[in-house]
Amino acid sequence: YGLKISGLFGIMMYSPHVSPAVTTLKPSEEIVFVWDQMKNDNVPVLEGLYKISSDGIDSMGNKVEKSITINIWK
């Protein structure tokens, strides 16, 4: 799904490991991910601002990306 969570300076914190067999979504289909605020190396993230983004290719072959910034308080 092209999902990734990074610090605001672009340092990758987390990206789910998804089987290639489920990487294509049909129109209006959605997938829900739950992030436990752990990095890929199983170390907890610190409080602060993080960017959650997802990218992919639409039906016309155009690259699309959506993102949101979140603030984690501990």
Side-chain angles (χ1 to χ4, degrees):
Y1 309 107
L3 180 75
K4 59 186 175 186
I5 300 172
S6 61
L8 291 184
F9 296 107
I11 298 171
M12 176 71 69
M13 299 291 169
Y14 176 77
S15 184
H17 303 287
V18 179
S19 166
V22 294
T23 58
T24 300
L25 298 176
K26 296 176 183 165
S28 300
E29 188 176 14
E30 64 182 43
I31 297 293
V32 176
F33 287 97
V34 177
W35 179 43
D36 60 3
Q37 299 178 9
M38 300 292 277
K39 298 180 196 178
N40 279 344
D41 61 3
N42 289 325
V43 174
V45 297
L46 301 174
E47 66 179 39
L49 293 171
Y50 294 87
K51 178 181 175 184
I52 301 174
S53 61
S54 180
D55 60 26
I57 305 295
D58 69 11
S59 61
M60 303 293 286
N62 301 310
K63 183 175 179 177
V64 293
E65 181 176 353
K66 297 288 183 179
S67 66
I68 186 170
T69 300
I70 62 167
N71 194 358
I72 295 178
W73 299 95
K74 302 247 178 171

Short mmCIF file of all heavy atoms in Angstrom, two decimals:
data_model
loop_
_atom_site.label_atom_id
_atom_site.label_comp_id
_atom_site.label_asym_id
_atom_site.label_seq_id
_atom_site.Cartn_x
_atom_site.Cartn_y
_atom_site.Cartn_z
N TYR A 1 0.82 -1.21 0.00
CA TYR A 1 0.00 0.00 0.00
C TYR A 1 0.85 1.25 0.00
O TYR A 1 0.32 2.33 -0.01
CB TYR A 1 -0.93 -0.01 1.20
CG TYR A 1 -1.70 -1.30 1.32
CD1 TYR A 1 -1.38 -2.21 2.29
CD2 TYR A 1 -2.68 -1.60 0.40
CE1 TYR A 1 -2.06 -3.40 2.38
CE2 TYR A 1 -3.37 -2.79 0.49
CZ TYR A 1 -3.05 -3.69 1.48
OH TYR A 1 -3.71 -4.87 1.57
N GLY A 2 2.14 1.11 0.10
CA GLY A 2 3.00 2.28 0.12
C GLY A 2 2.88 3.06 1.42
O GLY A 2 3.18 4.24 1.47
N LEU A 3 2.42 2.42 2.50
CA LEU A 3 2.24 3.10 3.77
C LEU A 3 3.59 3.23 4.48
O LEU A 3 4.36 2.28 4.53
CB LEU A 3 1.28 2.31 4.66
CG LEU A 3 1.01 2.94 6.03
CD1 LEU A 3 0.09 4.14 5.88
CD2 LEU A 3 0.41 1.92 6.97
N LYS A 4 3.84 4.43 5.00
CA LYS A 4 5.07 4.62 5.78
C LYS A 4 4.84 5.71 6.81
O LYS A 4 4.05 6.63 6.60
CB LYS A 4 6.26 4.95 4.89
CG LYS A 4 6.09 6.19 4.06
CD LYS A 4 7.25 6.38 3.09
CE LYS A 4 6.96 7.56 2.20
NZ LYS A 4 7.96 7.73 1.16
N ILE A 5 5.54 5.60 7.92
CA ILE A 5 5.49 6.60 8.98
C ILE A 5 6.91 7.08 9.17
O ILE A 5 7.84 6.28 9.35
CB ILE A 5 4.92 6.02 10.28
CG1 ILE A 5 3.49 5.51 10.03
CG2 ILE A 5 4.94 7.07 11.39
CD1 ILE A 5 2.88 4.75 11.17
N SER A 6 7.08 8.39 9.10
CA SER A 6 8.42 8.96 9.21
C SER A 6 8.40 10.18 10.11
O SER A 6 7.35 10.75 10.39
CB SER A 6 8.94 9.36 7.82
OG SER A 6 8.10 10.33 7.24
N GLY A 7 9.60 10.57 10.56
CA GLY A 7 9.74 11.83 11.25
C GLY A 7 9.58 12.94 10.23
O GLY A 7 9.60 12.71 9.02
N LEU A 8 9.41 14.16 10.68
CA LEU A 8 9.19 15.27 9.75
C LEU A 8 10.38 15.55 8.85
O LEU A 8 10.25 16.20 7.83
CB LEU A 8 8.78 16.53 10.51
CG LEU A 8 7.39 16.47 11.14
CD1 LEU A 8 7.05 17.81 11.79
CD2 LEU A 8 6.32 16.09 10.14
N PHE A 9 11.55 15.05 9.22
CA PHE A 9 12.74 15.24 8.38
C PHE A 9 12.96 14.07 7.44
O PHE A 9 14.00 13.96 6.81
CB PHE A 9 13.97 15.50 9.25
CG PHE A 9 13.87 16.77 10.04
CD1 PHE A 9 13.65 16.73 11.41
CD2 PHE A 9 13.96 18.01 9.42
CE1 PHE A 9 13.53 17.89 12.14
CE2 PHE A 9 13.84 19.18 10.14
CZ PHE A 9 13.62 19.13 11.51
N GLY A 10 11.98 13.16 7.35
CA GLY A 10 12.04 12.08 6.39
C GLY A 10 12.66 10.78 6.87
O GLY A 10 12.78 9.84 6.11
N ILE A 11 13.05 10.71 8.14
CA ILE A 11 13.64 9.48 8.65
C ILE A 11 12.54 8.44 8.86
O ILE A 11 11.60 8.66 9.63
CB ILE A 11 14.40 9.72 9.97
CG1 ILE A 11 15.55 10.71 9.74
CG2 ILE A 11 14.91 8.42 10.57
CD1 ILE A 11 16.22 11.18 11.00
N MET A 12 12.65 7.31 8.15
CA MET A 12 11.64 6.25 8.23
C MET A 12 11.59 5.64 9.63
O MET A 12 12.62 5.28 10.19
CB MET A 12 11.97 5.16 7.21
CG MET A 12 11.03 3.98 7.26
SD MET A 12 9.39 4.33 6.68
CE MET A 12 9.74 4.56 4.96
N MET A 13 10.39 5.57 10.18
CA MET A 13 10.19 4.96 11.48
C MET A 13 9.51 3.60 11.36
O MET A 13 9.87 2.66 12.05
CB MET A 13 9.31 5.85 12.37
CG MET A 13 9.87 7.20 12.64
SD MET A 13 11.31 7.06 13.71
CE MET A 13 11.96 8.70 13.60
N TYR A 14 8.50 3.53 10.47
CA TYR A 14 7.72 2.31 10.39
C TYR A 14 7.12 2.16 8.99
O TYR A 14 6.65 3.13 8.40
CB TYR A 14 6.57 2.34 11.41
CG TYR A 14 5.66 1.16 11.33
CD1 TYR A 14 6.04 -0.07 11.86
CD2 TYR A 14 4.43 1.25 10.70
CE1 TYR A 14 5.20 -1.17 11.77
CE2 TYR A 14 3.59 0.16 10.62
CZ TYR A 14 3.98 -1.05 11.16
OH TYR A 14 3.16 -2.13 11.06
N SER A 15 7.12 0.95 8.52
CA SER A 15 6.43 0.57 7.29
C SER A 15 5.99 -0.88 7.47
O SER A 15 6.81 -1.73 7.78
CB SER A 15 7.36 0.71 6.08
OG SER A 15 6.67 0.43 4.90
N PRO A 16 4.69 -1.14 7.33
CA PRO A 16 4.23 -2.51 7.56
C PRO A 16 4.76 -3.47 6.51
O PRO A 16 4.97 -3.10 5.36
CB PRO A 16 2.71 -2.39 7.49
CG PRO A 16 2.47 -1.21 6.63
CD PRO A 16 3.61 -0.27 6.90
N HIS A 17 4.96 -4.69 6.92
CA HIS A 17 5.38 -5.74 6.00
C HIS A 17 4.11 -6.40 5.48
O HIS A 17 3.43 -7.09 6.22
CB HIS A 17 6.28 -6.75 6.71
CG HIS A 17 7.48 -6.10 7.32
ND1 HIS A 17 8.53 -5.63 6.56
CD2 HIS A 17 7.79 -5.80 8.60
CE1 HIS A 17 9.45 -5.10 7.35
NE2 HIS A 17 9.01 -5.18 8.59
N VAL A 18 3.79 -6.15 4.21
CA VAL A 18 2.55 -6.64 3.61
C VAL A 18 2.89 -7.58 2.48
O VAL A 18 3.74 -7.30 1.65
CB VAL A 18 1.70 -5.46 3.09
CG1 VAL A 18 0.42 -5.97 2.46
CG2 VAL A 18 1.39 -4.48 4.21
N SER A 19 2.20 -8.68 2.42
CA SER A 19 2.40 -9.66 1.36
C SER A 19 2.07 -9.03 0.01
O SER A 19 1.06 -8.34 -0.13
CB SER A 19 1.48 -10.86 1.61
OG SER A 19 1.41 -11.66 0.45
N PRO A 20 2.91 -9.26 -1.02
CA PRO A 20 2.62 -8.71 -2.35
C PRO A 20 1.27 -9.15 -2.91
O PRO A 20 0.70 -8.49 -3.75
CB PRO A 20 3.76 -9.25 -3.21
CG PRO A 20 4.84 -9.58 -2.26
CD PRO A 20 4.16 -9.98 -0.97
N ALA A 21 0.72 -10.24 -2.41
CA ALA A 21 -0.57 -10.74 -2.92
C ALA A 21 -1.72 -9.82 -2.55
O ALA A 21 -2.79 -9.90 -3.14
CB ALA A 21 -0.83 -12.14 -2.38
N VAL A 22 -1.54 -8.91 -1.58
CA VAL A 22 -2.64 -8.05 -1.15
C VAL A 22 -2.32 -6.56 -1.32
O VAL A 22 -2.84 -5.73 -0.61
CB VAL A 22 -3.03 -8.33 0.32
CG1 VAL A 22 -3.60 -9.71 0.48
CG2 VAL A 22 -1.85 -8.11 1.25
N THR A 23 -1.49 -6.23 -2.28
CA THR A 23 -1.10 -4.84 -2.44
C THR A 23 -1.98 -4.07 -3.42
O THR A 23 -1.76 -2.89 -3.62
CB THR A 23 0.37 -4.71 -2.88
OG1 THR A 23 0.55 -5.43 -4.09
CG2 THR A 23 1.30 -5.23 -1.80
N THR A 24 -2.95 -4.70 -4.05
CA THR A 24 -3.83 -4.01 -4.97
C THR A 24 -5.21 -3.88 -4.34
O THR A 24 -5.79 -4.87 -3.89
CB THR A 24 -3.96 -4.79 -6.30
OG1 THR A 24 -2.66 -4.90 -6.87
CG2 THR A 24 -4.88 -4.07 -7.26
N LEU A 25 -5.70 -2.64 -4.30
CA LEU A 25 -7.04 -2.38 -3.78
C LEU A 25 -7.98 -2.05 -4.92
O LEU A 25 -7.60 -1.33 -5.84
CB LEU A 25 -7.02 -1.23 -2.78
CG LEU A 25 -6.17 -1.42 -1.53
CD1 LEU A 25 -6.18 -0.13 -0.71
CD2 LEU A 25 -6.68 -2.57 -0.72
N LYS A 26 -9.19 -2.54 -4.84
CA LYS A 26 -10.21 -2.21 -5.83
C LYS A 26 -10.80 -0.85 -5.49
O LYS A 26 -10.68 -0.38 -4.34
CB LYS A 26 -11.30 -3.28 -5.82
CG LYS A 26 -10.79 -4.64 -6.24
CD LYS A 26 -11.88 -5.68 -6.13
CE LYS A 26 -11.30 -7.05 -6.49
NZ LYS A 26 -12.15 -8.13 -6.08
N PRO A 27 -11.46 -0.17 -6.44
CA PRO A 27 -12.10 1.11 -6.14
C PRO A 27 -13.03 1.00 -4.92
O PRO A 27 -13.77 0.02 -4.78
CB PRO A 27 -12.89 1.42 -7.41
CG PRO A 27 -12.14 0.72 -8.49
CD PRO A 27 -11.63 -0.56 -7.85
N SER A 28 -12.92 1.94 -4.04
CA SER A 28 -13.71 2.04 -2.80
C SER A 28 -13.33 0.99 -1.75
O SER A 28 -13.92 0.95 -0.68
CB SER A 28 -15.21 1.95 -3.08
OG SER A 28 -15.60 3.00 -3.92
N GLU A 29 -12.35 0.13 -2.03
CA GLU A 29 -11.89 -0.84 -1.04
C GLU A 29 -10.94 -0.13 -0.08
O GLU A 29 -10.23 0.79 -0.46
CB GLU A 29 -11.18 -1.99 -1.73
CG GLU A 29 -10.82 -3.13 -0.82
CD GLU A 29 -10.20 -4.30 -1.58
OE1 GLU A 29 -9.80 -4.14 -2.75
OE2 GLU A 29 -10.08 -5.36 -0.97
N GLU A 30 -10.94 -0.55 1.16
CA GLU A 30 -10.04 0.07 2.13
C GLU A 30 -9.42 -0.99 3.02
O GLU A 30 -9.93 -2.09 3.17
CB GLU A 30 -10.77 1.10 2.99
CG GLU A 30 -11.85 0.52 3.86
CD GLU A 30 -12.59 1.58 4.67
OE1 GLU A 30 -12.91 2.65 4.13
OE2 GLU A 30 -12.83 1.31 5.86
N ILE A 31 -8.28 -0.63 3.60
CA ILE A 31 -7.57 -1.48 4.54
C ILE A 31 -7.32 -0.63 5.78
O ILE A 31 -6.98 0.55 5.69
CB ILE A 31 -6.20 -1.93 3.96
CG1 ILE A 31 -6.40 -2.77 2.71
CG2 ILE A 31 -5.39 -2.67 5.00
CD1 ILE A 31 -7.05 -4.10 2.93
N VAL A 32 -7.47 -1.21 6.95
CA VAL A 32 -7.24 -0.51 8.21
C VAL A 32 -5.95 -1.04 8.82
O VAL A 32 -5.77 -2.25 8.96
CB VAL A 32 -8.42 -0.72 9.18
CG1 VAL A 32 -8.13 -0.07 10.52
CG2 VAL A 32 -9.72 -0.17 8.59
N PHE A 33 -5.05 -0.13 9.18
CA PHE A 33 -3.81 -0.47 9.87
C PHE A 33 -3.86 0.13 11.27
O PHE A 33 -4.36 1.24 11.44
CB PHE A 33 -2.59 0.12 9.15
CG PHE A 33 -2.24 -0.58 7.88
CD1 PHE A 33 -2.66 -0.09 6.66
CD2 PHE A 33 -1.48 -1.75 7.91
CE1 PHE A 33 -2.34 -0.74 5.49
CE2 PHE A 33 -1.16 -2.40 6.73
CZ PHE A 33 -1.59 -1.89 5.52
N VAL A 34 -3.34 -0.59 12.22
CA VAL A 34 -3.20 -0.09 13.58
C VAL A 34 -1.71 -0.06 13.89
O VAL A 34 -1.03 -1.07 13.75
CB VAL A 34 -3.96 -0.98 14.59
CG1 VAL A 34 -3.74 -0.48 16.01
CG2 VAL A 34 -5.44 -1.03 14.25
N TRP A 35 -1.22 1.10 14.29
CA TRP A 35 0.19 1.25 14.60
C TRP A 35 0.36 1.33 16.11
O TRP A 35 -0.25 2.17 16.78
CB TRP A 35 0.73 2.50 13.91
CG TRP A 35 2.18 2.80 14.16
CD1 TRP A 35 3.20 1.91 14.16
CD2 TRP A 35 2.76 4.07 14.43
NE1 TRP A 35 4.40 2.55 14.40
CE2 TRP A 35 4.15 3.89 14.58
CE3 TRP A 35 2.25 5.35 14.56
CZ2 TRP A 35 5.02 4.92 14.85
CZ3 TRP A 35 3.12 6.39 14.83
CH2 TRP A 35 4.49 6.17 14.97
N ASP A 36 1.20 0.51 16.67
CA ASP A 36 1.43 0.47 18.12
C ASP A 36 2.51 1.46 18.57
O ASP A 36 3.00 1.36 19.69
CB ASP A 36 1.75 -0.94 18.58
CG ASP A 36 3.00 -1.51 17.91
OD1 ASP A 36 3.66 -0.79 17.12
OD2 ASP A 36 3.31 -2.69 18.16
N GLN A 37 2.88 2.38 17.71
CA GLN A 37 3.89 3.41 17.97
C GLN A 37 5.27 2.82 18.24
O GLN A 37 6.06 3.37 19.00
CB GLN A 37 3.44 4.34 19.11
CG GLN A 37 2.16 5.07 18.78
CD GLN A 37 1.68 5.96 19.91
OE1 GLN A 37 2.36 6.18 20.89
NE2 GLN A 37 0.48 6.49 19.75
N MET A 38 5.52 1.70 17.58
CA MET A 38 6.83 1.08 17.64
C MET A 38 7.49 1.22 16.27
O MET A 38 6.82 1.13 15.24
CB MET A 38 6.72 -0.41 17.98
CG MET A 38 6.05 -0.69 19.31
SD MET A 38 7.01 -0.16 20.72
CE MET A 38 8.10 -1.55 20.90
N LYS A 39 8.81 1.46 16.26
CA LYS A 39 9.56 1.52 15.01
C LYS A 39 9.69 0.11 14.44
O LYS A 39 9.39 -0.88 15.11
CB LYS A 39 10.96 2.10 15.26
CG LYS A 39 10.97 3.51 15.79
CD LYS A 39 12.41 3.93 15.99
CE LYS A 39 12.53 5.14 16.86
NZ LYS A 39 13.94 5.50 17.08
N ASN A 40 10.18 0.01 13.22
CA ASN A 40 10.40 -1.30 12.61
C ASN A 40 11.36 -2.17 13.42
O ASN A 40 11.31 -3.38 13.35
CB ASN A 40 10.92 -1.16 11.18
CG ASN A 40 9.81 -0.89 10.18
OD1 ASN A 40 8.64 -1.09 10.47
ND2 ASN A 40 10.18 -0.45 9.01
N ASP A 41 12.24 -1.55 14.22
CA ASP A 41 13.19 -2.32 15.04
C ASP A 41 12.66 -2.60 16.45
O ASP A 41 13.40 -2.94 17.35
CB ASP A 41 14.55 -1.61 15.10
CG ASP A 41 14.47 -0.22 15.72
OD1 ASP A 41 13.37 0.20 16.17
OD2 ASP A 41 15.51 0.46 15.77
N ASN A 42 11.33 -2.43 16.64
CA ASN A 42 10.63 -2.69 17.91
C ASN A 42 11.03 -1.76 19.05
O ASN A 42 10.87 -2.11 20.22
CB ASN A 42 10.77 -4.15 18.34
CG ASN A 42 9.98 -5.07 17.45
OD1 ASN A 42 8.90 -4.72 16.98
ND2 ASN A 42 10.52 -6.24 17.19
N VAL A 43 11.53 -0.58 18.73
CA VAL A 43 11.84 0.44 19.73
C VAL A 43 10.69 1.45 19.70
O VAL A 43 10.28 1.89 18.62
CB VAL A 43 13.18 1.13 19.41
CG1 VAL A 43 13.43 2.28 20.36
CG2 VAL A 43 14.32 0.12 19.47
N PRO A 44 10.16 1.85 20.87
CA PRO A 44 9.07 2.83 20.87
C PRO A 44 9.51 4.18 20.30
O PRO A 44 10.65 4.60 20.51
CB PRO A 44 8.70 2.98 22.35
CG PRO A 44 9.39 1.89 23.08
CD PRO A 44 10.51 1.41 22.22
N VAL A 45 8.61 4.84 19.57
CA VAL A 45 8.93 6.18 19.08
C VAL A 45 8.82 7.17 20.24
O VAL A 45 8.13 6.91 21.23
CB VAL A 45 7.99 6.61 17.93
CG1 VAL A 45 8.15 5.73 16.73
CG2 VAL A 45 6.55 6.68 18.37
N LEU A 46 9.50 8.28 20.13
CA LEU A 46 9.42 9.34 21.12
C LEU A 46 8.21 10.21 20.82
O LEU A 46 7.66 10.16 19.72
CB LEU A 46 10.69 10.19 21.07
CG LEU A 46 12.01 9.45 21.34
CD1 LEU A 46 13.19 10.39 21.12
CD2 LEU A 46 12.01 8.87 22.74
N GLU A 47 7.81 11.03 21.78
CA GLU A 47 6.73 11.95 21.48
C GLU A 47 7.21 12.97 20.46
O GLU A 47 8.41 13.25 20.36
CB GLU A 47 6.20 12.62 22.73
CG GLU A 47 7.15 13.55 23.44
CD GLU A 47 6.52 14.19 24.67
OE1 GLU A 47 5.77 13.52 25.39
OE2 GLU A 47 6.80 15.37 24.89
N GLY A 48 6.30 13.47 19.67
CA GLY A 48 6.66 14.45 18.66
C GLY A 48 5.77 14.36 17.44
O GLY A 48 4.74 13.69 17.44
N LEU A 49 6.18 15.04 16.38
CA LEU A 49 5.42 15.08 15.13
C LEU A 49 5.89 14.00 14.17
O LEU A 49 7.09 13.80 13.99
CB LEU A 49 5.58 16.45 14.47
CG LEU A 49 4.96 17.63 15.22
CD1 LEU A 49 5.38 18.94 14.57
CD2 LEU A 49 3.45 17.50 15.25
N TYR A 50 4.94 13.34 13.54
CA TYR A 50 5.22 12.28 12.58
C TYR A 50 4.34 12.45 11.36
O TYR A 50 3.22 12.98 11.45
CB TYR A 50 4.99 10.89 13.20
CG TYR A 50 5.97 10.60 14.30
CD1 TYR A 50 5.72 10.99 15.60
CD2 TYR A 50 7.18 9.99 14.02
CE1 TYR A 50 6.64 10.76 16.61
CE2 TYR A 50 8.11 9.75 15.03
CZ TYR A 50 7.83 10.14 16.32
OH TYR A 50 8.75 9.91 17.30
N LYS A 51 4.84 12.00 10.23
CA LYS A 51 4.09 12.06 8.98
C LYS A 51 3.70 10.63 8.59
O LYS A 51 4.55 9.76 8.51
CB LYS A 51 4.94 12.68 7.88
CG LYS A 51 4.26 12.73 6.52
CD LYS A 51 5.19 13.34 5.48
CE LYS A 51 4.59 13.30 4.10
NZ LYS A 51 5.53 13.80 3.09
N ILE A 52 2.40 10.42 8.38
CA ILE A 52 1.90 9.14 7.88
C ILE A 52 1.53 9.37 6.42
O ILE A 52 0.76 10.27 6.11
CB ILE A 52 0.67 8.67 8.67
CG1 ILE A 52 1.02 8.52 10.15
CG2 ILE A 52 0.14 7.35 8.09
CD1 ILE A 52 -0.17 8.20 11.03
N SER A 53 2.12 8.58 5.54
CA SER A 53 1.84 8.76 4.12
C SER A 53 1.61 7.42 3.43
O SER A 53 2.07 6.38 3.89
CB SER A 53 2.97 9.53 3.43
OG SER A 53 4.18 8.81 3.53
N SER A 54 0.88 7.49 2.34
CA SER A 54 0.62 6.31 1.53
C SER A 54 0.69 6.74 0.08
O SER A 54 0.21 7.81 -0.29
CB SER A 54 -0.75 5.74 1.86
OG SER A 54 -1.01 4.59 1.08
N ASP A 55 1.32 5.93 -0.75
CA ASP A 55 1.37 6.26 -2.17
C ASP A 55 1.05 5.04 -3.00
O ASP A 55 1.05 3.91 -2.51
CB ASP A 55 2.71 6.87 -2.58
CG ASP A 55 3.88 5.94 -2.32
OD1 ASP A 55 3.69 4.71 -2.30
OD2 ASP A 55 5.00 6.44 -2.16
N GLY A 56 0.72 5.28 -4.23
CA GLY A 56 0.37 4.19 -5.14
C GLY A 56 0.15 4.72 -6.53
O GLY A 56 0.48 5.86 -6.85
N ILE A 57 -0.44 3.88 -7.37
CA ILE A 57 -0.73 4.22 -8.76
C ILE A 57 -2.23 4.11 -8.96
O ILE A 57 -2.84 3.10 -8.60
CB ILE A 57 0.00 3.25 -9.73
CG1 ILE A 57 1.50 3.21 -9.44
CG2 ILE A 57 -0.30 3.59 -11.18
CD1 ILE A 57 2.23 4.50 -9.70
N ASP A 58 -2.84 5.16 -9.54
CA ASP A 58 -4.28 5.11 -9.79
C ASP A 58 -4.58 4.34 -11.08
O ASP A 58 -3.67 3.87 -11.76
CB ASP A 58 -4.90 6.51 -9.80
CG ASP A 58 -4.49 7.37 -10.99
OD1 ASP A 58 -3.89 6.85 -11.94
OD2 ASP A 58 -4.80 8.57 -10.96
N SER A 59 -5.86 4.20 -11.42
CA SER A 59 -6.26 3.40 -12.58
C SER A 59 -5.79 3.98 -13.90
O SER A 59 -5.75 3.28 -14.91
CB SER A 59 -7.79 3.24 -12.60
OG SER A 59 -8.40 4.53 -12.70
N MET A 60 -5.39 5.25 -13.91
CA MET A 60 -4.88 5.90 -15.12
C MET A 60 -3.36 5.82 -15.21
O MET A 60 -2.76 6.36 -16.12
CB MET A 60 -5.33 7.36 -15.17
CG MET A 60 -6.84 7.55 -15.10
SD MET A 60 -7.65 6.91 -16.56
CE MET A 60 -7.20 8.16 -17.73
N GLY A 61 -2.72 5.19 -14.21
CA GLY A 61 -1.28 5.06 -14.21
C GLY A 61 -0.55 6.24 -13.57
O GLY A 61 0.67 6.31 -13.64
N ASN A 62 -1.28 7.14 -12.94
CA ASN A 62 -0.68 8.30 -12.28
C ASN A 62 -0.30 7.96 -10.85
O ASN A 62 -1.04 7.27 -10.15
CB ASN A 62 -1.66 9.47 -12.26
CG ASN A 62 -2.09 9.89 -13.64
OD1 ASN A 62 -1.26 10.10 -14.51
ND2 ASN A 62 -3.38 10.00 -13.85
N LYS A 63 0.85 8.47 -10.41
CA LYS A 63 1.25 8.28 -9.02
C LYS A 63 0.42 9.19 -8.14
O LYS A 63 0.23 10.37 -8.45
CB LYS A 63 2.74 8.59 -8.83
CG LYS A 63 3.21 8.33 -7.42
CD LYS A 63 4.70 8.51 -7.26
CE LYS A 63 5.06 8.25 -5.81
NZ LYS A 63 6.47 8.34 -5.56
N VAL A 64 -0.10 8.65 -7.05
CA VAL A 64 -0.88 9.43 -6.09
C VAL A 64 -0.27 9.24 -4.71
O VAL A 64 0.28 8.18 -4.39
CB VAL A 64 -2.37 9.01 -6.08
CG1 VAL A 64 -3.04 9.38 -7.38
CG2 VAL A 64 -2.53 7.53 -5.82
N GLU A 65 -0.34 10.29 -3.89
CA GLU A 65 0.16 10.22 -2.52
C GLU A 65 -0.73 11.05 -1.63
O GLU A 65 -1.14 12.15 -2.00
CB GLU A 65 1.60 10.72 -2.42
CG GLU A 65 2.15 10.64 -1.01
CD GLU A 65 3.61 11.05 -0.88
OE1 GLU A 65 4.27 11.28 -1.89
OE2 GLU A 65 4.08 11.10 0.27
N LYS A 66 -1.02 10.52 -0.47
CA LYS A 66 -1.76 11.23 0.56
C LYS A 66 -0.96 11.15 1.84
O LYS A 66 -0.30 10.15 2.12
CB LYS A 66 -3.15 10.61 0.79
CG LYS A 66 -4.06 10.68 -0.39
CD LYS A 66 -4.53 12.09 -0.63
CE LYS A 66 -5.51 12.14 -1.79
NZ LYS A 66 -6.00 13.46 -2.05
N SER A 67 -1.02 12.21 2.65
CA SER A 67 -0.29 12.19 3.92
C SER A 67 -1.02 13.03 4.96
O SER A 67 -1.84 13.89 4.61
CB SER A 67 1.14 12.68 3.74
OG SER A 67 1.16 14.04 3.39
N ILE A 68 -0.69 12.77 6.20
CA ILE A 68 -1.22 13.53 7.32
C ILE A 68 -0.11 13.62 8.37
O ILE A 68 0.71 12.70 8.49
CB ILE A 68 -2.48 12.86 7.91
CG1 ILE A 68 -3.11 13.75 8.98
CG2 ILE A 68 -2.18 11.48 8.44
CD1 ILE A 68 -4.49 13.28 9.42
N THR A 69 -0.07 14.72 9.09
CA THR A 69 0.89 14.89 10.17
C THR A 69 0.17 14.69 11.49
O THR A 69 -0.92 15.21 11.69
CB THR A 69 1.52 16.30 10.13
OG1 THR A 69 2.17 16.46 8.87
CG2 THR A 69 2.54 16.48 11.24
N ILE A 70 0.77 13.89 12.38
CA ILE A 70 0.18 13.63 13.69
C ILE A 70 1.16 14.04 14.78
O ILE A 70 2.35 14.12 14.55
CB ILE A 70 -0.21 12.14 13.87
CG1 ILE A 70 1.03 11.25 13.77
CG2 ILE A 70 -1.27 11.72 12.86
CD1 ILE A 70 0.80 9.83 14.23
N ASN A 71 0.63 14.31 15.97
CA ASN A 71 1.45 14.63 17.13
C ASN A 71 1.23 13.55 18.17
O ASN A 71 0.10 13.30 18.57
CB ASN A 71 1.06 16.00 17.68
CG ASN A 71 2.08 16.54 18.65
OD1 ASN A 71 3.06 15.90 18.97
ND2 ASN A 71 1.83 17.73 19.16
N ILE A 72 2.30 12.93 18.61
CA ILE A 72 2.21 11.88 19.64
C ILE A 72 2.66 12.47 20.97
O ILE A 72 3.74 13.04 21.07
CB ILE A 72 3.08 10.66 19.27
CG1 ILE A 72 2.52 10.01 18.01
CG2 ILE A 72 3.15 9.68 20.44
CD1 ILE A 72 3.31 8.83 17.52
N TRP A 73 1.79 12.35 21.96
CA TRP A 73 2.08 12.79 23.32
C TRP A 73 2.26 11.56 24.19
O TRP A 73 1.51 10.60 24.08
CB TRP A 73 0.93 13.62 23.88
CG TRP A 73 0.65 14.86 23.10
CD1 TRP A 73 -0.27 15.01 22.11
CD2 TRP A 73 1.28 16.12 23.24
NE1 TRP A 73 -0.25 16.29 21.62
CE2 TRP A 73 0.69 17.00 22.30
CE3 TRP A 73 2.29 16.60 24.06
CZ2 TRP A 73 1.09 18.32 22.17
CZ3 TRP A 73 2.67 17.93 23.93
CH2 TRP A 73 2.08 18.76 23.00
N LYS A 74 3.23 11.57 25.06
CA LYS A 74 3.45 10.42 25.96
C LYS A 74 3.30 10.86 27.39
O LYS A 74 3.50 11.96 27.76
CB LYS A 74 4.83 9.82 25.75
CG LYS A 74 5.04 9.37 24.32
CD LYS A 74 5.17 7.90 24.25
CE LYS A 74 5.33 7.50 22.79
NZ LYS A 74 5.65 6.16 22.60
#
